[in-house]
Amino acid sequence: SENTPIDKIIEFIECCPHIVDLPEDPDAEQQAADRAKTLKNQTHNFDILLRSFVGQVAKFDKQYAKAANAGRKVLLQQLKDGELEIHDDHGLKEAFLDLVLPLGKSGNPDPKRFQVNQ
């Protein structure tokens, strides 16, 4: 008596552990900790992406590299402070470009947008 595919499926389902419902009132402290960890991970991932943007700007034209790096720092600080809400990589790219390469009077990006202290 060989097991049919349906018998194997039934046997598999019967061997699975029972699904336990989560409590309706999740621990508020745990939720806060989870949110903080998620935000930290997102900020780290955004920093990596912003660094790649800075590298791309520097490869394009080194005169914009300092402004690009300063813009990266500004965006990261705004994210950490909750002043800026970005949900995806495209939104981050748009915010970066808007901040780092604003158009000057000539219609070209103004590399003096940021005064970088070193």
Side-chain angles (χ1 to χ4, degrees), residues 60-61 63-64 97-113:
F60 175 73
D61 191 333
Q63 74 172 341
Y64 298 115
L97 291 174
D98 288 347
L99 187 62
V100 174
L101 301 176
L103 297 181
K105 292 177 185 173
S106 66
N108 294 320
D110 181 5
K112 298 176 185 170
R113 170 72 165 82

Side-chain angles (χ1 to χ4, degrees), residues 21-42:
D21 288 333
L22 295 174
E24 288 190 27
D25 292 327
D27 180 15
E29 284 184 29
Q30 184 61 46
Q31 280 186 326
D34 291 346
R35 275 193 295 275
K37 185 176 180 180
T38 299
L39 182 60
K40 184 176 178 180
N41 289 340
Q42 182 185 42

Side-chain angles (χ1 to χ4, degrees), residues 50-92:
L50 285 168
R51 287 174 187 271
S52 75
F53 294 163
V54 170
Q56 290 173 23
V57 168
K59 283 180 186 177
F60 175 73
D61 191 333
K62 289 190 188 266
Q63 74 172 341
Y64 298 115
K66 285 185 180 180
N69 196 46
R72 176 188 67 83
K73 291 175 183 179
V74 167
L75 286 175
L76 281 177
Q77 193 60 51
Q78 288 177 340
L79 286 166
K80 289 176 185 176
D81 294 345
E83 297 171 9
L84 183 64
E85 192 172 316
I86 294 178
H87 300 286
D88 57 21
D89 294 355
H90 179 73
L92 184 65

